[in-house]
């Protein structure tokens, strides 16, 4: 019976072999142990390969680089105009290839900085940014999410983002407090994080250092050693709901409260 263990190389093949054997009325020399060879080995490899082929979302959130307003975009939109401040930008995606690069770009899509890309200067503003190359003087602002993948060399002084995600295998010690909304870890983070939202440590993630956040989630398997200040009150107060239909129509039009000083709207744009 010891041979059974060594045969469990591939449960799927084993099952197929057994089915073949059964169909031919033979015995079951390779009879898979139903306990060990069923669903796991047949489904896992496929599940892994499926992850890479994700479909483009039909709906996405675009955050305005000028006024921080969030809007939902459904379907294909090329030129986006902010309904709040009339700021315009293209919603395209961009890839920055290997080699030296210096430019100024602003898009509402995703900018992917490929491995080997050296960003020597300029500025990148995008809704989502995936960093695999090195920052060597460039300013980067991810209005929504910045994803740092293995091999990237981020420059924390010149980085701004709303959400930050570290990919598998990343090991980062920023050397300065990181401010963000959510922090999502597949890789390793050592340092000080100040979050308006949540820290999520996935099964392959690890956090060590100091954490101030409004929420915390650690998946089984995730590593976590930290000095903590986690409470919902660390979240910023929700924006005051804009009264769409006031309870009482107010004949005296009050000026809006000076909650945020909107920059004057450009006259012609
Ligand atoms: Zn805007």
């Amino acid at each position: 019976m010891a041979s059974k263990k060594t045969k469990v190389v591939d449960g799927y093949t084993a099952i197929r072999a057994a089915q073949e054997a059964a169909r031919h009325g033979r015995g079951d020399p390779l009879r898979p142990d139903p306990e060990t060879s069923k669903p796991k080995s047949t489904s896992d490899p496929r599940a892994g390969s499926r992850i890479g082929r994700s479909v483009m979302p039909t709906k996405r959130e675009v955050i305005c680089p000028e006024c921080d307003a969030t809007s939902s975009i459904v379907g294909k939109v090329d030129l986006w105009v902010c309904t709040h401040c009339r700021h315009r930008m293209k919603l395209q995606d961009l890839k920055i290839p290997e080699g030296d690069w210096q430019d100024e770009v602003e898009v509402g899509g995703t900018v992917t900085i490929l491995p080997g890309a050296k960003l020597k200067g300029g500025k990148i503003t995008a809704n989502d940014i995936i960093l695999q190359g090195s920052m060597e003087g460039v300013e980067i602002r991810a209005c929504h999410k910045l994803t740092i993948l293995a091999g990237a060399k981020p420059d924390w002084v010149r980085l701004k983002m709303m959400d930050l995600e570290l990919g598998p295998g990343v090991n980062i010690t920023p050397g300065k407090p990181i401010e963000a909304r959510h922090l999502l870890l597949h890789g390793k983070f050592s340092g000080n994080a100040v979050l308006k939202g949540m820290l999520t440590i996935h099964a392959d993630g690890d956090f060590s250092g100091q954490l101030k956040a409004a929420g915390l989630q650690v998946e089984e398997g995730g590593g976590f050693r930290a000095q903590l200040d986690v409470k919902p009150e660390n979240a910023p107060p929700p924006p005051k709901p804009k009264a769409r239909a006031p309870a009482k129509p107010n004949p005296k039009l009050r000026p809006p409260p000076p909650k945020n000083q909107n920059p004057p709207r450009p006259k012609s744009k």
Side-chain angles (χ1 to χ4, degrees), residues 65 96 101-107 109-114 117-148 152-164 176 179:
I96 297 177
W101 184 93
Q102 180 167 349
D103 200 351
E104 196 152 318
V105 293
E106 182 189 270
V107 290
T110 300
V111 172
T112 306
I113 298 144
L114 293 167
K118 292 177 181 151
L119 309 180
K120 298 288 190 180
K123 189 173 183 184
I124 299 173
T125 305
N127 204 52
D128 295 300
I129 293 177
I130 299 169
L131 181 65
Q132 296 172 280
S134 60
M135 291 176 67
E136 302 178 6
V138 71
E139 302 251 339
I140 283 186
R141 179 172 166 213
C143 298
H144 178 229
K145 185 161 92 170
L146 171 70
T147 305
I148 294 182
K153 291 200 177 67
D155 173 356
W156 295 100
V157 178
R158 294 185 171 86
L159 262 181
K160 277 189 192 149
M161 66 270 155
M162 186 182 220
D163 297 338
L164 173 63
K176 74 185 271 284
E179 289 179 27

Side-chain angles (χ1 to χ4, degrees), residues 17-66:
Q19 285 169 342
E20 279 297 301
R23 206 175 300 147
H24 289 92
R26 277 188 261 128
D28 48 358
L30 273 178
R31 190 175 71 90
D33 185 341
E35 295 291 309
T36 58
S37 62
K38 66 180 167 187
K40 232 184 169 189
S41 44
T42 56
S43 58
D44 270 359
R46 280 156 183 279
S49 63
R50 212 178 288 141
I51 288 166
R53 271 180 263 133
S54 57
V55 184
M56 272 286 286
T58 49
K59 181 180 169 182
R60 54 174 157 175
E61 302 287 323
V62 173
I63 296 164
C64 176
E66 282 296 310

Side-chain angles (χ1 to χ4, degrees), residues 24-261:
H24 289 92
R26 277 188 261 128
D28 48 358
L30 273 178
R31 190 175 71 90
D33 185 341
E35 295 291 309
T36 58
S37 62
K38 66 180 167 187
K40 232 184 169 189
S41 44
T42 56
S43 58
D44 270 359
R46 280 156 183 279
S49 63
R50 212 178 288 141
I51 288 166
R53 271 180 263 133
S54 57
V55 184
M56 272 286 286
T58 49
K59 181 180 169 182
R60 54 174 157 175
E61 302 287 323
V62 173
I63 296 164
C64 176
E66 282 296 310
C67 73
D68 293 331
T70 303
S71 27
S72 288
I73 308 239
V74 183
K76 199 173 182 296
V77 178
D78 290 328
L79 183 69
W80 173 86
V81 182
C82 178
T83 51
H84 294 259
C85 74
R86 306 242 147 227
H87 184 70
R88 290 155 176 257
M89 62 180 174
K90 287 184 175 172
L91 282 194
Q92 65 183 151
D93 297 332
L94 275 181
K95 281 193 166 74
I96 297 177
E98 192 181 340
D100 291 359
W101 184 93
Q102 180 167 349
D103 200 351
E104 196 152 318
V105 293
E106 182 189 270
V107 290
T110 300
V111 172
T112 306
I113 298 144
L114 293 167
K118 292 177 181 151
L119 309 180
K120 298 288 190 180
K123 189 173 183 184
I124 299 173
T125 305
N127 204 52
D128 295 300
I129 293 177
I130 299 169
L131 181 65
Q132 296 172 280
S134 60
M135 291 176 67
E136 302 178 6
V138 71
E139 302 251 339
I140 283 186
R141 179 172 166 213
C143 298
H144 178 229
K145 185 161 92 170
L146 171 70
T147 305
I148 294 182
L149 297 180
K153 291 200 177 67
D155 173 356
W156 295 100
V157 178
R158 294 185 171 86
L159 262 181
K160 277 189 192 149
M161 66 270 155
M162 186 182 220
D163 297 338
L164 173 63
E165 178 165 357
L166 302 190
V170 173
N171 187 347
I172 268 172
T173 308
K176 74 185 271 284
I178 294 307
E179 289 179 27
R181 182 179 64 173
H182 302 314
L183 175 60
L184 304 106
L185 299 181
H186 289 280
K188 199 170 178 180
F189 179 97
S190 324
N192 185 343
V194 180
L195 309 178
K196 295 187 178 101
M198 282 214 6
L199 169 66
T200 302
I201 305 171
H202 292 285
D204 48 357
D206 186 280
F207 184 100
S208 62
Q210 280 174 280
L211 173 68
K212 180 175 180 182
L216 172 65
Q217 190 180 8
V218 186
E219 276 181 12
E220 196 176 335
F224 189 43
R225 300 159 305 285
Q227 186 186 321
L228 293 177
D229 173 8
V230 177
K231 55 181 190 287
E233 294 77 44
N234 285 341
K240 282 174 194 161
K242 284 170 197 158
R244 260 190 219 166
K248 281 181 257 175
N250 191 348
K252 282 179 252 169
L253 273 172
R254 280 181 304 169
K259 54 179 172 147
N260 54 353
Q261 295 123 335

